[in-house]
Amino acid sequence: MAPLRVPGDKSISHRALMLAVLGQGRSRIRGLLRSADVESTATVLRGLGASIPDLASGTIEIAGLGLRGLREPTRPLDCGNSGTTARLMAGIIAGAGLRARLVGDASLSARPMRRVAAPLEAMGARVELPEHGGLPMMVHGGPLHGLTWHSEVASAQVKTAILLAGLVADVPVEVHEPAATRDHTERMLQARGVDVRTEDHTVTLVPRGRLDAGDIDVPGDPSSATFFVGLAAIGAAGDITLANVGINPGRTGAFRVLRRMGVTLRYADELLQGGEPVATVVATGGPLRATVVTPDEVPSLIDELPLIACVAARAAGETRVTGAAELRVKESDRIRAVVSNLRAIGADAEELPDGFVVRGGDGPLRGRVTTHGDHRIAMAFGVLGALAGNAIELDDPSCVAVSYPNFWDDLARVRLR
Ligand code: S3P
């Protein structure tokens, strides 16, 4: 079968739009993810005065406004379901010295925003949050000063919000992370002429008052690709070939874990595309065994843990994940959602405060899954549901639109019939 091309990387797509708008001159973006989350970033940037064409139009070209070109919005900026939009844009707005109100849907409004509000306030901005610490978030930017910040959470969104605030305000920043997180921002800024360096878990940015424009080819999203590797893993597809997948080590922890569990994964045609490693990924299933996912692995596979839990339901033995308390504050409480749904379809699973335990089996899994509107819960259980003998119904399959609008079509195309 022809290789499957998963859609563009979500993290890189958000950043590509933001950096194109902040750049000096025209930037072309090829392979941008067209999904509800990326639309949210485009909407927010338009609200700040940027002109962004229809995202459907293949390669898009954006005329940058430069670091000082954004203007104050006249209406609240709607981030939809997208945490990346809310947190990264808070950094940009604060750095630009603007005042803006960020709002979002019910799920996003409940997610923690103090983690970005605190460093931005330490730089001199004022950020108002409701009692529960979520949205709406009112950002009053201002002349910011430089910052050295020790982040308590390993979060690429927090790191990036600080880096972008420093870039736009033209002040140096330094972020210490408890564990290394995805480094797309650093790679993309370096490619556009910014002095960003990483040593151990510390990232330093020294701005120079401008950001060059830059063209980018967005690689396929490894998080989306992982669902198909999972499909091969549980034997619901033959070998699967996925073309043009980003294989940044900060994003491919799930590939390493699935290999341990018995999947054969090969990389072919490796190349560096705009500073990001990309490859064709070929996945072949085999007998699955349980594994232990350790806390140090979590940042590199945080979004893939629902899929790993679903694969673990078909693996011999007990799979244990710890150090993943962050899962509780994603688009849903993913620890609760994964465990309660696995149980609802007849699998053996247990919550831990910071993770879960899944005991695999080979009996049929049947029942109804509650997605909580969470795209990754829907896709992970969709993979399990594609296995012959299983019968899994989802309450809201359409929530995949957040990151992978064509997921169900692609799944139908590659599964064994
Ligand atoms: C993202 C970082 C991660 C990830 C999210 C996208 C990013 O969130 O879960 O899907 O693009 O920087 P945290 O930074 O909250 O861990």
Side-chain angles (χ1 to χ4, degrees), residues 53-78:
D54 185 343
L55 303 189
S57 51
T59 300
I60 68 166
E61 199 170 301
I62 294 177
L65 300 173
L67 293 175
R68 315 286 337 152
L70 297 175
R71 57 153 204 260
E72 203 149 276
T74 50
R75 282 188 304 228
L77 302 172
D78 189 355

Side-chain angles (χ1 to χ4, degrees), residues 10-11 14-15 84 87-88 111 115 154-158 160 182 302-303 326 330-331 334 376:
K10 183 154 81 70
S11 291
H14 287 295
R15 290 158 171 80
T84 309
R87 298 197 179 109
L88 271 54
R111 294 179 62 189
R115 54 182 63 192
S155 162
Q157 293 178 359
V158 171
T160 303
R182 64 191 69 192
I302 184 75
D303 293 333
E326 273 293 300
K330 293 294 180 186
E331 287 84 329
R334 286 184 177 159
R376 298 208 196 276

Side-chain angles (χ1 to χ4, degrees), residues 84-105:
T84 309
T85 308
R87 298 197 179 109
L88 271 54
M89 288 308 307
I92 291 174
I93 291 161
L98 302 174
R99 264 186 329 149
R101 188 179 169 81
L102 293 164
V103 299
D105 71 7

